Amino acid sequence: MEDQARMMLGHIGLTGLSHEDVGDPDNIRKHHNLGQPQQQDIGDILQQIMVITDESLDEAQARKHALNCHRMKPALFSVLCEIKERTALSIRGVQEEDSPDPQFLRLDNMLLAEGVAGPERSGASAAAAVVAAAAGGSPSEGNVEHSEYKEKLAQIRRMYHAELEKYQQACNEFTDHVMNLLREQSRTRPISPKEIERMVGIIHRKFSTIQMQLKQSTCEAVMILRSRFLDARRKRRNFSKQAAEILNTYFYSHLANPYPSEEAKEDLARKCSITVSQVANWFGNKRIRYKRNVAKLQEEANRYAVKTAVDAASVSSQASQANSPATPNSGGYPAPCYTPDGRL
DNA sequence: CGTCATGATTGAAG
DNA sequence: CTTCAATCATGACG
């Protein structure tokens, strides 16, 4: 009650008066050089207010209600609101009108694309797409990494949604609270519905900046996770000597047409325990690099030619030299010269 | 450290 | 889609 009285005094502009001052209308008149009838009225009002503070709660409520129902109340309320609108609010209330932040949208889109926001996706989610695209091939590849990635992403996703929910709830709660408070206070203070609306807007903006931060950090987490996997994939591991051997053997024995069919690729992939796309990569690299530097690789070509010849010879000791797989050479790739010591 | 080899990625072309 | 060509990024090595 005391507080309320003080508050009302504050709004009428009479702060700084001690209780004793207020209690004595003569003092007020003295302080404010009053004397005219309307000021006399203010004095009366103050007197009434102070009386109110001494009343019981029920009485006060009743009186408050009575005041609230006064026929002049709406008019006074709207006038005060208008005045308030024109003064204080015009100073701080203008610079709002936020544009839909493009960065905010960007974050939203990214989270959506990453499968963090939006509806739960099962199976072939963005994670699968990322892994599959990078591995470049069959869905069965990279299962370990895939599940790991998926799990991490799901974890991020869970955290994100939990936090988002929390913020949303807090925002709603706080908004409700403030709205109730303002509505309640609008019975004693000039607070227009518009102002309440504006306050709600401010609260929502504040909360959405918090949400923005959440989204930003979630994005960062996803990016880090992704880059880790991307790096892991990009991190080049040389194929085993054995695999290189198999691939080179195939390449040089099909030098005339070093384009393995899909089945051949699958076969090679199986033999080398690498993926089909890795085989394709290898052949792509090999073809271009062989072509680029025939002279340098000729020696290697000879080595493998000899090797296949020897292998073939060991299988069927006849006709292996003449029918060596490397011999048919009508393609654009220069044939190696065969000399037992590997020289040209 | 620099250099080369090599697997992966990218973009153009078909 | 595949292939080529250029390029990136890392591994191996002196």
Side-chain angles (χ1 to χ4, degrees):
Chain A
M1 245 329 129
E2 176 89 5
D3 283 348
Q4 201 177 16
R6 214 193 304 285
M7 200 166 71
M8 292 172 92
L9 284 175
H11 276 278
I12 301 171
L14 293 180
T15 44
L17 296 178
S18 70
H19 203 278
E20 288 76 18
D21 288 337
V22 177
D24 180 3
D26 287 342
N27 267 341
I28 295 172
R29 222 168 280 127
K30 200 164 58 200
H31 274 297
H32 288 264
N33 197 17
L34 305 177
Q36 291 85 355
Q38 55 272 53
Q39 272 102 1
Q40 172 70 58
D41 288 346
I42 291 174
D44 287 345
I45 291 168
L46 287 173
Q47 186 73 45
Q48 280 179 32
I49 291 166
M50 292 323 295
V51 170
I52 286 172
T53 63
D54 293 332
E55 286 171 351
S56 78
L57 207 61
D58 285 343
E59 274 179 85
Q61 287 294 349
R63 196 175 269 267
K64 204 167 116 189
H65 185 254
L67 276 172
N68 224 19
C69 295
H70 193 278
R71 66 192 165 79
M72 293 301 279
K73 192 251 173 189
L76 180 63
F77 183 81
S78 67
V79 167
L80 286 173
C81 279
E82 204 180 309
I83 292 168
K84 193 177 170 189
E85 188 79 21
R86 265 196 245 131
T87 54
L89 284 175
S90 63
I91 297 165
R92 66 184 163 102
V94 181
Q95 81 282 6
E96 322 286 3
E97 305 306 323
D98 57 334
S99 57
D101 199 328
Q103 210 193 342
F104 195 77
L105 283 174
R106 210 172 52 83
L107 283 175
D108 263 351
N109 286 337
M110 190 203 145
L111 287 172
L112 214 64
E114 229 35 73
V116 174
E120 180 92 49
R121 277 183 279 172
S122 58
S125 66
V130 168
V131 171
S138 71
S140 62
E141 287 167 13
N143 265 335
V144 178
E145 287 187 18
H146 177 184
S147 61
E148 202 183 322
Y149 181 91
K150 223 167 92 179
E151 211 209 302
K152 292 257 172 68
L153 195 71
Q155 204 177 320
I156 290 173
R157 191 192 152 87
R158 275 196 302 277
M159 265 169 58
Y160 170 76
H161 280 105
E163 290 292 302
L164 202 64
E165 178 119 0
K166 225 162 68 188
Y167 287 152
Q168 199 61 53
Q169 201 183 329
C171 179
N172 288 341
E173 259 171 41
F174 190 65
T175 304
D176 278 355
H177 178 71
V178 168
M179 267 170 74
N180 286 336
L181 207 67
L182 289 178
R183 276 209 205 96
E184 179 58 34
Q185 290 201 357
S186 73
R187 292 152 70 92
T188 52
R189 293 205 290 138
I191 300 171
S192 64
K194 199 171 143 198
E195 205 182 328
I196 295 179
E197 217 170 279
R198 187 153 36 208
M199 188 55 77
V200 168
I202 290 169
I203 292 168
H204 282 178
R205 265 193 294 280
K206 289 284 178 216
F207 271 91
S208 71
T209 59
I210 295 172
Q211 276 190 15
M212 165 93 104
Q213 279 168 17
L214 170 67
K215 285 179 180 180
Q216 197 151 16
S217 56
T218 304
C219 267
E220 263 168 43
V222 171
M223 290 303 249
I224 289 167
L225 180 65
R226 242 185 111 153
S227 74
R228 258 232 301 280
F229 273 79
L230 227 64
D231 284 353
R233 268 181 269 108
R234 187 137 194 155
K235 206 167 215 168
R236 189 177 58 75
R237 302 261 68 180
N238 285 354
F239 297 153
S240 68
K241 278 259 181 272
Q242 208 177 345
E245 199 80 1
I246 293 166
L247 292 167
N248 273 314
T249 304
Y250 186 96
F251 180 79
Y252 286 115
S253 51
H254 297 75
L255 203 52
N257 187 34
Y259 297 88
S261 64
E262 204 52 43
E263 298 86 68
K265 279 185 203 166
E266 279 167 27
D267 189 45
L268 285 166
R270 221 172 313 114
K271 281 182 188 158
C272 303
S273 41
I274 57 177
T275 68
V276 173
S277 43
Q278 281 178 305
V279 173
N281 282 341
W282 190 90
F283 273 88
N285 283 322
K286 193 70 185 178
R287 280 191 297 266
I288 195 69
R289 281 164 187 166
Y290 181 81
K291 200 158 87 179
R292 195 152 61 201
N293 201 345
V294 177
K296 201 166 146 199
L297 288 180
Q298 204 114 62
E299 198 178 321
E300 189 178 64
N302 283 332
R303 270 215 324 277
Y304 282 97
V306 169
K307 182 181 172 309
T308 49
V310 169
D311 285 353
S314 64
V315 174
S316 67
S317 53
Q318 298 277 30
S320 63
Q321 290 282 35
N323 263 353
S324 168
T327 344
N329 183 31
S330 50
Y333 294 87
C337 308
Y338 306 111
T339 49
D341 58 354
R343 293 170 56 83
L344 299 184

